[in-house]
Amino acid sequence: MVNKNFAVFIMVHGRPDSMRTYDTLRRQGYTGKIYLVADDLDDTVARYKEIYGDDVIVFDKAEAAKHSDAGDSTGDLRSTLFASNVIFDLAEERGITHFFIMCDDYQNFFYAMSDSTGSVFAKDLNLMFDIMVDYYKEAPIKVLAFAQTGDFIGGVENARGA
């Protein structure tokens, strides 16, 4: 990784023995920092810590909910909203200036082509992430994201999947 102040934050809950995103990142060449962000209501936090040690960050979900508008009045805390919102503070505390927020179930990363090539398996995520961070630094934008296969549900032109 060229961008040293970069990390991937993976929002986790209840699946410490099935960390698809973590394994996928490593399998596809990402060698940088990965943090697992778990909430304090997760009964499996101890197992996460047993496997991933200091890479696990536990946050107070009820406290995070006080600072987030979940868009409902049920009080239901089953949402990644709270983790995704606290990650900005967690990154700043660690000197991370650029980061990706991911869920814990990504199985592959691909380059999607607009022609008949389809999708190409990404073999060097360090390079992919460096390119994206460099682009973000130069472009007049505030957020840059990957699209997920599920984002393309519906429509003939969006029928490509990984």
Side-chain angles (χ1 to χ4, degrees):
M1 288 286 313
V2 173
N3 294 291
K4 299 299 180 196
N5 294 331
F6 174 84
V8 173
F9 289 84
I10 303 173
M11 300 176 292
V12 300
H13 187 96
R15 298 189 277 210
D17 296 307
S18 178
M19 283 303 306
R20 288 182 176 166
T21 302
Y22 187 97
D23 296 339
T24 298
L25 287 166
R26 294 302 190 213
R27 178 174 39 85
Q28 290 190 242
Y30 177 63
T31 60
K33 192 68 180 161
I34 299 174
Y35 293 103
L36 306 180
V37 180
D39 64 78
D40 61 340
L41 303 178
D42 186 345
D43 294 336
T44 64
V45 165
R47 180 71 176 141
Y48 279 110
K49 287 185 174 187
E50 179 183 323
I51 299 169
Y52 299 98
D54 292 337
D55 293 340
V56 178
I57 305 169
V58 181
F59 74 97
D60 183 329
K61 198 168 196 178
E63 183 61 30
K66 293 177 187 175
H67 305 283
S68 301
D69 183 353
D72 70 43
S73 59
T74 66
D76 188 350
L77 298 179
R78 292 176 297 162
S79 172
T80 58
L81 169 71
F82 312 111
S84 62
N85 283 347
V86 301
I87 286 172
F88 288 84
D89 293 332
L90 299 175
E92 185 176 0
E93 290 167 7
R94 287 157 180 78
I96 303 298
T97 57
H98 298 86
F99 53 90
F100 285 130
I101 300 173
M102 299 183 179
C103 293
D104 65 357
D105 58 354
Y106 298 172
Q107 297 181 47
N108 292 297
F109 291 91
F110 291 90
Y111 294 98
M113 307 301 170
S114 60
D115 60 15
S116 62
T117 307
S119 298
V120 177
F121 186 77
K123 296 178 183 173
D124 186 352
L125 289 181
N126 282 344
L127 178 60
M128 179 189 280
F129 293 170
D130 276 339
I131 289 169
M132 294 212 33
V133 170
D134 289 345
Y135 175 75
Y136 175 81
K137 289 177 180 178
E138 298 298 323
I141 58 176
K142 299 283 185 187
V143 175
L144 180 63
F146 289 110
Q148 300 180 88
T149 305
D151 294 339
F152 300 110
I153 294 173
V156 174
E157 294 300 315
N158 294 326
R160 284 201 298 272

